[in-house]
């Protein structure tokens, strides 16, 4: 019994690899058109991130930015008041800075997943992780107006899990697959277009993109500068990736 | 007019309401479209209601797993369970029929084990969640733990402690 299993294992591993590489190398017309040649991918079952020159550049940006933020200290903000002869310096507590640094690194890891993943459901999950770690960066702030805005943004995050996962579910129910490599070849129809619209709305909400960033402007007034910049990077990356995804699906 | 609209947009209180309104508009618009399911993803099995009717007639004990009855024998390549997955795996359907002893006992005494499928360990759940969709499970629990981390940090470091 054991011997048989061992021999089967080797054969099957070979089989998996061959099958997946056939799917991923021949059928990737749409992705190759948009992104350039696929340099590499991870041929596990649903763990199918792929690397193109485009996503490699994005990953390099994210890694550099996250490393810089992870080793930097929080800012000192000097405050002067009219008719007072003192300049006060404010900064965030050490404990709070440590927590925000952790959330920044988590956000960076999630962003790497967002730009490389080859599966739309995993894309939705990575975008949700980005959104919740963005909230985490702002959770420890003690200014009331910032917390109010962060609360409203948290409401948006909870609302937009419906369009994000609903769009993915519509595409899955209509095409029967979640893999971008297969979806790139399918012609689009009405249901896929509704799914794309819902995906766009969901990603706009999670990434705090353009039409809804009134809350973001309020939140960015908080002190503790370097970690807050992660939110801008996540907006940028989610925006880039959702445009690419919509083009592949269409 | 436009200035008043922009001023409303700039108020954080209004943002979730506007966002929800946009989603409602898109969803209402999408209701008018004709919706088709992909036939390849449907399981070649009787409908859930029919499965439950069959279970009540005591024909085959495996119908007590309705609506999750996939057939097959555990770890038997010749008797695979019927599984349709998004990705090709050669081990498809090998562990679908596996149940823990406790679950087997529950299946023998009740018609309703299939409806409590989320709460008991067994092959069906493993196959769906951990085998063809492994990264999903990890990511979902990562999101959950990130939320727990934020909530516990906020509660432990709250101002105005008594």
């Amino acid at each position: 019994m054991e011997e048989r299993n061992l021999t089967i294992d080797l054969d099957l591993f070979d089989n998996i690899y061959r099958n997946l590489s056939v799917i991923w190398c021949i059928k990737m017309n749409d992705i190759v058109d948009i992104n350039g040649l696929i340099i590499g991918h991870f041929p596990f079952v649903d763990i199918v991130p792929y690397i193109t020159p485009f996503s490699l550049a994005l990953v390099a940006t994210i890694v550099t930015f996250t490393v810089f933020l992870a080793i930097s200290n929080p800012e000192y903000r000097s405050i002067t008041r009219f008719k007072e002869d003192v300049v006060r310096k404010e900064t965030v507590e050490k404990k709070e800075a440590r927590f925000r640094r952790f959330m920044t690194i988590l956000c960076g890891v999630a962003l790497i997943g967002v730009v490389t993943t080859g599966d739309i459901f995993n894309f939705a999950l990575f975008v949700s992780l980005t959104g919740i770690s963005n909230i985490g960066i702002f959770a420890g702030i003690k200014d009331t107006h910032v917390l109010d805005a962060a609360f409203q943004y948290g409401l948006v995050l909870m609302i937009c899990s419906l369009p994000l996962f609903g769009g993915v579910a519509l595409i899955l129910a209509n095409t029967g697959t979640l893999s971008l490599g297969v979806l790139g070849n399918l012609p689009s129809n009405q249901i896929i277009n509704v799914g794309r619209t819902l995906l766009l709305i969901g990603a706009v909400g999670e990434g705090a993109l353009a039409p809804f960033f009134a809350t973001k402007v309020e939140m960015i007034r908080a002190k503790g500068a370097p970690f807050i910049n992660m939110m801008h990077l996540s907006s940028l990356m989610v925006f880039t990736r959702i445009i690419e995804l919509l083009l592949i699906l269409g | 007019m436009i200035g008043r609209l922009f001023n409303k947009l700039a108020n954080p209180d209004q943002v979730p309401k506007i966002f929800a309104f946009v989603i409602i508009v898109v969803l209402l618009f999408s209701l008018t479209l004709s919706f088709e399911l992909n036939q390849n993803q449907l399981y070649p099995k009787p409908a859930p209601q029919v499965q439950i009717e069959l279970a009540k007639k005591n024909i085959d004990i495996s119908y007590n797993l309705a609506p999750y009855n996939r057939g097959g024998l555990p770890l038997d390549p010749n008797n695979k369970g019927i599984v349709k997955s998004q990705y090709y795996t050669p081990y498809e359907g090998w562990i679908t029929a596996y149940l823990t002893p406790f679950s087997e006992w529950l299946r023998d005494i009740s018609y309703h084990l299939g409806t409590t499928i989320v709460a008991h360990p067994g092959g069906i759940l493993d196959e769906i969640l951990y085998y063809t969709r492994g990264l999903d499970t990890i990511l979902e629990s990562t999101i959950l733990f990130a939320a727990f981390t934020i909530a516990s940090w906020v509660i432990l470091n709250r101002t105005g402690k008594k």
Side-chain angles (χ1 to χ4, degrees):
Chain A
M1 184 69 188
E2 283 177 1
E3 281 181 9
R4 195 191 66 179
N5 273 344
L6 273 179
T7 52
I8 283 174
D9 270 350
L10 290 174
D11 284 351
L12 288 180
F13 184 74
D14 199 32
N15 217 346
I16 292 174
Y17 190 78
R18 213 178 299 133
N19 268 291
L20 280 173
S21 26
V22 165
I23 291 172
W24 279 87
C25 291
I26 297 174
K27 288 188 176 176
M28 278 205 148
N29 301 325
D30 245 2
I31 297 176
V32 171
D33 281 350
I34 296 165
N35 286 342
L37 283 174
I38 291 157
I39 299 172
H41 70 279
F42 297 86
F44 296 117
V45 181
D46 75 319
I47 310 173
V48 280
Y50 61 91
I51 297 279
T52 59
F54 181 64
S55 63
L56 196 65
L58 295 185
V59 168
T61 317
I62 294 166
V63 169
T64 321
F65 206 80
T66 310
V67 167
F68 270 123
L69 290 190
I71 59 174
S72 63
N73 286 321
E75 64 167 351
Y76 280 98
R77 178 177 289 188
S78 43
I79 295 176
T80 48
R81 284 223 178 120
F82 192 56
K83 286 184 181 175
E84 275 181 31
D85 201 13
V86 282
V87 178
R88 286 183 299 157
K89 279 189 175 174
E90 281 194 351
T91 185
V92 292
E93 291 170 37
K94 209 171 183 180
K95 210 166 48 174
E96 194 184 320
R98 207 172 53 191
F99 177 69
R100 276 197 219 172
R101 188 173 287 134
F102 167 67
M103 280 297 160
T104 310
I105 294 167
L106 187 65
C107 190
V109 172
L111 280 179
I112 292 174
V114 166
V115 295
T116 56
T117 185
D119 181 281
I120 12 175
F121 191 70
N122 286 343
F123 168 78
L125 286 170
F126 273 124
V127 171
S128 299
L129 187 56
T130 311
I132 203 151
S133 49
N134 272 336
I135 274 290
I137 295 172
F138 291 92
I141 293 168
K142 294 186 173 79
D143 301 333
T144 326
H145 67 280
V146 175
L147 279 181
D148 283 344
F151 173 72
Q152 304 293 340
Y153 176 57
L155 285 183
V156 171
L157 283 189
M158 278 194 278
I159 292 169
C160 70
S161 62
L162 168 75
L164 200 62
F165 290 97
V168 173
L170 274 180
I171 292 169
L172 171 65
N174 193 253
T175 63
T177 182
L178 287 166
S179 165
L180 276 179
V182 183
L183 280 168
N185 294 293
L186 295 175
S188 80
N189 57 30
Q190 288 178 338
I191 298 297
I192 292 187
N193 284 340
V194 173
R196 285 162 77 198
T197 318
L198 289 175
L199 260 180
L200 178 65
I201 294 174
V204 159
E206 292 275 3
L209 296 184
F212 300 107
F213 66 10
T215 55
K216 192 171 132 183
V217 175
E218 285 290 326
M219 284 152 74
I220 287 162
R221 289 183 191 169
K223 58 193 174 191
F227 307 122
I228 291 171
N229 292 344
M230 200 63 196
M231 197 170 182
H232 297 291
L233 186 77
S234 69
S235 290
L236 195 66
M237 291 302 154
V238 169
F239 180 71
T240 319
R241 179 64 181 171
I242 190 72
I243 296 294
E244 185 197 326
L245 208 87
L246 294 183
L247 287 176
I248 290 171
L249 289 177
Chain B
M1 176 68 196
I2 293 172
R4 211 179 300 156
L5 195 74
F6 279 3
N7 277 342
K8 261 191 180 174
L9 265 175
N11 189 1
D13 297 351
Q14 303 292 329
V15 172
K17 293 173 192 169
I18 299 165
F19 193 71
F21 182 74
V22 171
I23 292 171
I24 287 169
V25 169
V26 172
L27 286 179
L28 280 181
F29 175 72
S30 68
L31 278 181
T32 59
L33 299 173
S34 63
F35 189 79
E36 287 172 16
L37 285 176
N38 186 308
Q39 294 298 319
N40 291 332
Q41 287 292 307
L42 303 178
Y43 281 86
K45 280 278 171 188
Q49 296 84 356
V50 181
Q51 284 191 36
I52 288 170
E53 288 302 315
L54 285 171
K56 286 183 178 167
K57 285 176 188 164
N58 280 326
I59 297 170
D60 186 355
I61 198 123
S62 70
Y63 279 116
N64 285 5
L65 282 174
Y68 286 96
N69 176 24
R70 303 281 186 250
L73 291 172
L75 294 182
D76 190 350
N78 302 318
N79 259 320
K80 288 181 184 176
I82 301 167
V83 171
K84 296 236 168 167
S85 55
Q86 269 84 50
Y87 297 96
Y88 170 78
T89 50
Y91 297 108
E92 222 168 56
W94 277 36
I95 54 163
T96 312
Y98 171 75
L99 291 176
T100 54
F102 178 68
S103 299
E104 275 181 7
W105 176 73
L106 271 180
R107 178 195 62 184
D108 292 345
I109 62 160
S110 146
Y111 298 132
H112 307 292
L113 181 63
T115 54
T116 59
I117 202 86
V118 289
H120 79 99
I124 301 166
L125 201 67
D126 288 351
E127 176 125 2
I128 294 169
L129 284 184
Y130 305 108
Y131 193 60
T132 59
R133 306 285 320 162
L135 193 61
D136 290 2
T137 321
I138 299 169
L139 278 177
E140 277 159 18
S141 30
T142 312
I143 295 171
L144 200 66
F145 278 115
F148 281 148
T149 314
I150 296 165
S152 53
W153 196 90
V154 167
I155 288 173
L156 288 175
N157 294 286
R158 69 189 185 279
T159 48
K161 284 179 194 170
K162 284 179 183 176

